[in-house]
Amino acid sequence: MDTVETRELRYFVAVAEERHFGRAAERLGMAQPPLSRAIQRLERRLGVSLLERDRRGVSLTGAGEVLLYEGRAALDAVTAAARRTRRAGGASGTGGARERLVLAVKAAASHELLHKLLDAYAAEPGAAEVEVLPSGTCEQGEMLRDGRADVAIMHAPFNSLVGFDSEELMTEGQIAILPAGHPLAARDALSLAEVTEIPDLPLARWSRHGTYPPGPGPEIHDQTQLAQLIALGRTVAVFPDSARAWLWSEHTAVPLTDAPPVVTHIAWPAHSRSLALAGLIATATRL
């Protein structure tokens, strides 16, 4: 049989991620023996070995690696279907309520563009309610896949657009944001090498998929923390030019001469059939 139940996928993904039946059982809120039997039944039905077992835990076979990748995507799709269905029917679930779209945006990015988009769409007849959901670096794609968002403002080359439909909205350069009193703040332009090699001003580090890149700079959790650390002379950051909109008086923006351009897109799941989403996309492309 080729059919795999959602429950079985959740069981397998938990074991594959934890690499241990006991920890997976605890995560799932169940006893270990029935979890082990469920995975064994799944292996027999699929006709493949998914896990290599030993006293220390488990490791994935080649087939197991494939099912982990496909299983995560399938579970995201199931979760997304439920979330988007609830939104389409209204918070009360009674149907007939105004449709709601969730727009994921990177915190501190594209302020002016976002204002224009929301104002223009709100003026359209029958426009849906738009909830703006700020996200961390590179989180927009995950939010689209698991249904937390219906549409997202994404920025290449930082965000991957693979698997999504998208429309290009704008292209801009990048800037270094420095403390206003720093000697380099007086420069007309800087290179990326100059920004990354300032001995007394380490580059800020943002989390990507839950981990921070190595380096001496502070780990940044949100825009307010970053703004304060720059103002205090503790770090420097690189942003698209549109980030000038949130700078404090204690900050200075200096253009970067060799940073790649940032292309802003509006992106959405390729299979979407939402008329409200189509209307938002049409408005965005007219800006």
Side-chain angles (χ1 to χ4, degrees):
M1 294 178 61
D2 292 331
T3 302
V4 178
E5 297 179 2
T6 302
R7 172 181 55 83
E8 292 175 312
L9 282 180
R10 295 192 190 281
Y11 287 178
F12 173 74
V13 168
V15 174
E17 290 180 343
E18 297 293 339
R19 296 294 201 271
H20 193 276
F21 274 97
R23 291 193 297 269
E26 184 177 355
R27 167 174 154 181
L28 293 165
M30 63 186 299
Q32 182 175 332
L35 174 60
S36 180
R37 290 194 295 269
I39 299 299
Q40 290 172 351
R41 287 194 298 270
L42 177 60
E43 289 178 312
R44 286 197 299 269
R45 200 162 75 253
L46 292 177
V48 297
S49 175
L50 299 171
L51 303 169
E52 297 287 350
R53 300 157 172 85
D54 60 35
R55 294 180 180 178
R56 293 173 296 177
V58 299
S59 59
L60 295 176
T61 64
E65 292 282 1
V66 171
L67 187 59
L68 176 59
Y69 176 82
E70 299 288 351
R72 283 169 169 164
L75 291 174
D76 280 347
V78 170
T79 302
R83 285 170 169 164
R84 292 191 176 112
T85 298
R86 283 195 294 268
R87 284 200 291 273
S92 65
T94 58
R98 186 184 179 195
E99 187 169 352
R100 179 168 60 97
L101 294 173
V102 177
L103 171 62
V105 299
K106 179 182 174 182
S110 308
H111 283 286
E112 184 177 355
L113 174 65
L114 192 56
H115 273 297
K116 289 180 179 178
L117 173 59
L118 294 176
D119 289 346
Y121 180 65
E124 294 290 329
E129 176 187 354
V130 179
E131 176 187 344
V132 177
L133 184 61
S135 66
T137 303
C138 298
E139 288 183 351
Q140 299 98 309
E142 296 173 12
M143 292 177 169
L144 287 181
R145 279 187 283 270
D146 67 16
R148 282 176 289 168
D150 302 295
V151 60
I153 301 296
M154 300 174 73
H155 309 275
F158 308 113
N159 298 124
S160 172
L161 297 168
V162 175
F164 304 120
D165 285 341
S166 65
E167 289 284 349
E168 183 178 324
L169 300 182
M170 62 179 287
T171 301
E172 59 186 322
Q174 297 194 62
I175 55 175
I177 304 176
L178 302 110
H182 194 276
L184 290 180
R187 293 273 296 274
D188 293 330
L190 293 167
S191 68
L192 280 172
E194 288 174 314
V195 170
T196 57
E197 295 173 1
I198 306 173
D200 58 337
L201 209 61
L203 197 65
R205 295 182 293 142
W206 288 92
S207 171
R208 289 176 179 265
H209 308 294
T211 60
Y212 288 89
E219 296 180 353
I220 303 301
H221 306 289
D222 57 53
Q223 177 192 341
T224 301
Q225 178 200 25
L226 174 65
Q228 185 173 40
L229 289 175
I230 294 174
L232 291 172
R234 302 301 177 90
T235 191
V236 60
V238 173
F239 268 86
D241 190 78
S242 56
R244 294 176 186 270
W246 59 263
L247 297 189
W248 297 1
S249 60
E250 295 94 339
H251 302 153
T252 295
V254 180
L256 293 171
T257 57
D258 56 350
V262 177
V263 184
T264 299
H265 298 256
I266 187 165
W268 63 97
H271 61 270
S272 176
R273 296 295 182 270
S274 167
L275 294 179
L277 176 56
L280 180 64
I281 302 303
T283 299
T285 58
R286 291 194 298 266
L287 294 178

